[in-house]
Amino acid sequence: MAADRLDLPPVRLLPEEELARLAVAVPLLDRAVRLARWCAPHVTVDAMGELTAEDVPRAVRELGLEGEADGPAEATQAWGVAVDAGLVDLEIEDTADEDAEPGAGSVALDEPAGRAVPGEALRRLEAGEPREVLELWLAALDTALAEAATPDLEGLMEELGPDGEIDLNTLDWDPEEEGEFLDGALANLYLFTVMEDSGGDTKDAVPLPVLAASLVVPEDVEEPSDALLEDVTEVMVRLDEHFRLLTTTGLLEYQPLDEALIEEAESEDAGPAEGAAVLPEEIGPEEVSRYGLVRLTPLGVYGVRSRMIDAGLHAPAAGELAGEPAAALLEALFRYPDQIARREADAWLGNRKPYDAARELLEAARGEDRNAPGRRLVAQQTLSLLGDEAEPALREVLADRQLGGLARVWLTEREAVDVPAPDEDMIFWLTVDTIAAQLDADDDPELLRELVTDLVARHDGFFSAAWRVDHPATADVLEAMGRIHPDKRLAKEARKAAFKARSAGPSAP
């Protein structure tokens, strides 16, 4: 899964107790549990731990799948999940004779070779501990994802050689690559879900073409070429095959791609396998559902996040920052969308008294490192959520060069009395600091252009004074203003001022 640390805001998760209740009701896990109980005191298995041909129909009946074409396959899948999750323990007999000729005395794969008994994981699950239930569901999910990335049995049988073996080199399939592809799709679906800020239960499912495009279309492409549309079509078909197989896992809700669309494309072109594009140039709102719709369930959000964490990625959960120091809060919130940042800030403040919170935020906002302007900007935004009880903490830093400006802003906005006016040095220092933070945020170029234009317009001779500001980012800020300011004359003044600032002292780290 490829997702950058700063690209993942926190997601709201359901309580573990509620997630566990959802997990035990998932068809795949429910069936695995039922087969684990059914196998008591034991059932016979072959050398691979699979049910024998005689027991598969019994398992199908146990699961109520009689008469369904996929009944045996689904029962076999549920048995595999039970084994992989430890719901069933295998006791395979070792019948090989070390002194015998190769193959002699061995047990054929479809012959009875041992037995299966209810496993320890079944006892843990029945104890009802939510974390244990969720761990078992994650194990079942791992098995299902691995199967989804594996060619179907019929396809493999077609590749059987005369010796009864399969040459994987002849298959247009790489298990590792297919697994990474599926993980990447789930990571992007997770990101769509988080950005909806709905705790994993998006009101609007993600259209399959949108998810497919996110995997193959570069961000800077506005009008995809026919070749890119063909790539999107190919990815849609691959995702459709995978998602259909995952509907019993509880991971996602999926409305499949309408197969008639592919038939229509094949009748008009060479077919998806040969490069036809199912996607038209535009899809009307009433037709979107025909192209497939997918959403992660709340349980799916939990599952994908767990897999991301196991892969070493940073996937925060809402509320995790509430007990963290102010420095960690400020660093994190700088990259969060406004609504999510506000929610996390409220949670953090809710655990502290206003005066103590304000002092901690102000202390964490100090510094001359590259991230310090961003921390001060977030500190100012977070402090704005506090009431008058925080005022003494703001007054304590009025003389502080780094914090005095934002303290005055806070006090002035609340119409506090006896707020000393800032001197020119503090005004310019705060100006450079604010622009440095906005440049680092890189959110809205047009908003930044307006900010720069307004600041310069309100200060006569701005650049002749700004280059002297003793701030680590002064030269970088002036260079950026030279690129951003719409007035060519003033932009040239900014670049000259930046040169003077670099000549006068060290640049920002």
Side-chain angles (χ1 to χ4, degrees):
M1 297 181 180
D4 188 86
R5 175 185 178 92
L6 299 179
D7 288 338
L8 291 173
V11 63
R12 283 185 287 184
L13 300 174
L14 293 179
E16 285 192 347
E17 293 79 5
E18 190 168 346
L19 288 170
R21 284 195 294 272
L22 294 173
V24 294
V26 164
L28 188 60
L29 183 58
D30 174 65
R31 290 172 181 173
V33 170
R34 287 162 64 187
L35 290 184
R37 291 170 178 154
W38 161 80
C39 78
H42 64 79
V43 295
T44 303
V45 293
D46 64 21
M48 296 298 292
E50 300 288 349
L51 293 173
T52 62
E54 292 78 10
D55 280 331
V56 169
R58 291 179 55 220
V60 169
R61 287 194 298 273
E62 177 66 23
L63 298 179
L65 299 174
E66 310 100 305
E68 295 189 17
D70 294 333
E74 292 183 10
T76 300
Q77 181 193 38
W79 180 258
V81 168
V83 172
D84 290 345
L87 294 165
V88 167
D89 288 340
L90 300 177
E91 300 172 356
I92 306 298
E93 300 171 5
D94 184 4
T95 61
D97 184 348
E98 294 182 0
D99 297 326
E101 292 294 326
S106 61
V107 178
L109 291 184
D110 57 350
E111 298 263 334
R115 64 182 195 170
V117 299
E120 176 61 30
L122 179 61
R123 287 183 282 277
R124 296 201 308 270
L125 179 138
E126 291 176 336
E129 183 64 32
R131 182 62 59 86
E132 293 284 357
V133 173
L134 292 172
E135 287 297 326
L136 286 170
W137 177 76
L138 289 172
L141 178 63
D142 285 345
T143 299
L145 289 172
E147 288 185 0
T150 302
D152 64 274
L153 183 58
E154 291 182 5
L156 288 176
M157 294 301 291
E158 292 175 0
E159 300 297 331
L160 279 177
D163 57 357
E165 295 184 357
I166 298 172
D167 182 2
L168 294 180
N169 293 324
T170 65
L171 291 176
D172 185 18
W173 166 74
D174 180 331
E176 184 175 346
E177 188 275 335
E178 199 65 20
E180 290 177 355
F181 166 77
L182 184 52
D183 273 345
L186 292 176
N188 281 17
L189 185 56
Y190 178 91
L191 186 56
F192 280 123
T193 302
V194 174
M195 297 309 292
E196 284 284 340
D197 187 29
S198 60
D201 192 11
T202 53
K203 294 179 181 178
D204 297 320
V206 178
L208 196 61
V210 172
L211 180 59
S214 74
L215 294 169
V216 295
V217 179
E219 291 184 3
D220 58 349
V221 172
E222 295 183 1
E223 295 291 334
S225 63
D226 289 342
L228 268 178
L229 288 177
E230 289 169 9
D231 289 341
V232 172
T233 293
E234 179 185 350
V235 170
M236 284 172 55
V237 173
R238 288 171 70 186
L239 290 175
D240 179 68
E241 293 174 353
H242 290 319
F243 290 165
R244 286 173 188 263
L245 295 173
L246 294 172
T247 53
T248 62
T249 65
L251 177 72
L252 47 80
E253 295 174 0
Y254 181 53
Q255 180 171 328
L257 172 67
D258 186 347
E259 294 180 0
L261 290 170
I262 299 193
E263 294 173 2
E264 293 168 9
E266 289 175 340
S267 66
E268 297 174 2
D269 209 319
E274 300 181 30
V278 171
L279 287 171
E281 291 185 3
E282 292 186 8
I283 302 176
E286 68 283 354
E287 297 178 330
V288 168
S289 61
R290 292 190 67 198
Y291 291 85
L293 295 170
V294 61
R295 63 157 62 89
L296 287 177
T297 65
L299 188 60
V301 171
Y302 171 85
V304 176
R305 176 177 178 268
S306 296
R307 290 173 61 81
M308 285 180 162
I309 292 173
D310 287 345
L313 299 174
H314 180 66
E320 283 185 340
L321 293 169
E324 293 293 315
L329 177 80
L330 299 183
E331 291 283 357
L333 297 195
F334 183 65
R335 297 296 182 184
Y336 286 177
D338 290 344
Q339 183 178 355
I340 296 176
R342 168 64 184 266
R343 188 178 68 218
E344 293 298 300
D346 281 335
W348 189 89
L349 292 171
N351 285 345
R352 294 159 176 83
K353 295 180 179 179
Y355 173 76
D356 295 336
R359 291 198 67 183
E360 189 176 346
L361 288 167
L362 290 165
E363 183 60 33
R366 286 194 174 91
E368 296 190 349
D369 57 281
R370 184 176 184 83
N371 294 334
R375 290 200 305 275
R376 282 186 282 274
L377 178 62
V378 176
Q380 185 171 2
Q381 294 166 343
T382 306
L383 287 165
S384 70
L385 305 177
L386 293 173
D388 293 343
E389 293 173 274
E391 181 174 334
L394 276 298
R395 289 191 178 276
E396 290 172 5
V397 298
L398 284 172
D400 188 293
R401 183 181 61 127
Q402 296 182 359
L403 305 176
L406 68 86
R408 283 169 171 79
V409 171
W410 190 95
L411 292 166
T412 300
E413 287 177 346
R414 281 155 183 75
E415 299 181 350
V417 297
D418 299 327
V419 180
D423 59 28
E424 187 176 79
D425 287 345
M426 183 172 287
I427 292 174
F428 276 90
W429 196 95
L430 180 61
T431 299
V432 169
D433 199 58
T434 301
I435 296 176
Q438 296 289 353
L439 286 169
D440 197 21
D442 194 27
D443 285 335
D444 188 338
E446 188 57 38
L447 185 63
L448 184 59
R449 185 188 301 273
E450 292 177 4
L451 173 64
V452 167
T453 304
D454 180 62
L455 285 171
V456 173
R458 285 194 285 114
H459 296 281
D460 291 335
F462 179 89
F463 295 113
S464 61
W467 72 268
R468 306 175 189 273
V469 175
D470 183 20
H471 190 292
T474 296
D476 289 341
V477 164
L478 291 171
E479 278 186 358
M481 294 177 78
R483 295 191 303 270
I484 293 171
H485 204 289
D487 187 296
K488 292 183 178 180
R489 179 183 63 82
L490 293 175
K492 185 176 181 180
E493 285 188 28
R495 291 192 292 272
K496 287 182 178 180
F499 178 79
K500 290 181 179 179
R502 292 208 185 280
S503 301
S507 301

